[in-house]
């Protein structure tokens, strides 16, 4: 999985990059270490409030989460569980079988 970290009106520190990459390792089990998955973080500083926007693009699916607080490190702890919840929910929807049975019609009935 490719991780991109950008800062808007904020210089992203090396420690923030290291922690972000470490916490993104939780996502690897869903994307099977595929290079097609791209996780991008945008950290914005506005008036003393940090906003972190995380977007993961994998094949045709896009997952997005956002958090705001006084610390960009706290935002990472909020954003990743939100994104994991979206991925789990989508995986559950795809994995469930459809309810009911297929329609079966007798061909020998005369109408």
């Amino acid at each position: 999985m490719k991780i991109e970290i950008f800062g808007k009106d904020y210089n992203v520190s090396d420690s923030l990059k290291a922690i972000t990459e470490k916490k993104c390792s939780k996502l690897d089990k869903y994307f099977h270490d595929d290079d097609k998955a791209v996780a991008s973080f945008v950290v914005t500083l506005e008036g003393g409030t940090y906003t972190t926007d995380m977007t993961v693009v994998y094949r045709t699916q896009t997952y997005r989460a956002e958090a705001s607080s006084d610390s960009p490190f706290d935002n990472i702890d909020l954003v990743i569980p939100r994104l994991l919840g979206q991925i789990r929910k989508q995986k559950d929807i795809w994995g469930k079988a459809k309810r009911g049975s297929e329609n079966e019609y007798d061909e020998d009935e005369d109408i």
Side-chain angles (χ1 to χ4, degrees), residues 1-5 20-41 54-59 63 80 83-84 87:
M1 182 158 101
K2 184 178 176 185
I3 299 172
E4 301 171 344
I5 303 171
T20 302
E21 290 175 0
K22 181 180 176 184
K23 298 218 181 215
C24 280
S25 64
K26 295 178 182 179
L27 299 173
D28 286 339
K29 67 181 179 181
Y30 293 103
F31 300 118
H32 309 292
D33 298 325
D34 195 356
D35 291 334
K36 295 179 183 178
V38 178
S40 62
F41 286 85
M54 180 180 179
T55 306
V56 175
V57 178
Y58 180 65
R59 296 183 184 165
Y63 305 99
I80 291 179
L83 200 78
L84 286 171
I87 294 169

Side-chain angles (χ1 to χ4, degrees), residues 58-69:
Y58 180 65
R59 296 183 184 165
T60 60
Q61 296 295 317
T62 302
Y63 305 99
R64 184 179 177 281
E66 183 177 341
S68 296
S69 72

Side-chain angles (χ1 to χ4, degrees), residues 8 15 17-18 37 42 56 66 70-71 75 82 108 111:
K8 185 177 177 184
S15 62
K17 288 181 183 180
V42 179
V56 175
E66 183 177 341
D70 295 336
S71 171
N75 288 343
R82 289 179 187 171
D108 55 314
I111 300 178

Side-chain angles (χ1 to χ4, degrees), residues 39-100:
S40 62
F41 286 85
V42 179
V43 180
T44 308
L45 175 61
E46 291 182 15
T49 303
Y50 294 94
T51 303
T52 303
D53 179 26
M54 180 180 179
T55 306
V56 175
V57 178
Y58 180 65
R59 296 183 184 165
T60 60
Q61 296 295 317
T62 302
Y63 305 99
R64 184 179 177 281
E66 183 177 341
S68 296
S69 72
D70 295 336
S71 171
F73 297 97
D74 293 340
N75 288 343
I76 293 172
D77 292 335
L78 296 173
V79 167
I80 291 179
R82 289 179 187 171
L83 200 78
L84 286 171
Q86 291 178 17
I87 294 169
R88 268 190 236 113
K89 182 177 178 181
Q90 190 68 34
K91 188 175 180 182
D92 288 344
I93 289 171
W94 285 343
K96 289 183 180 177
K98 296 190 178 201
R99 292 186 178 183

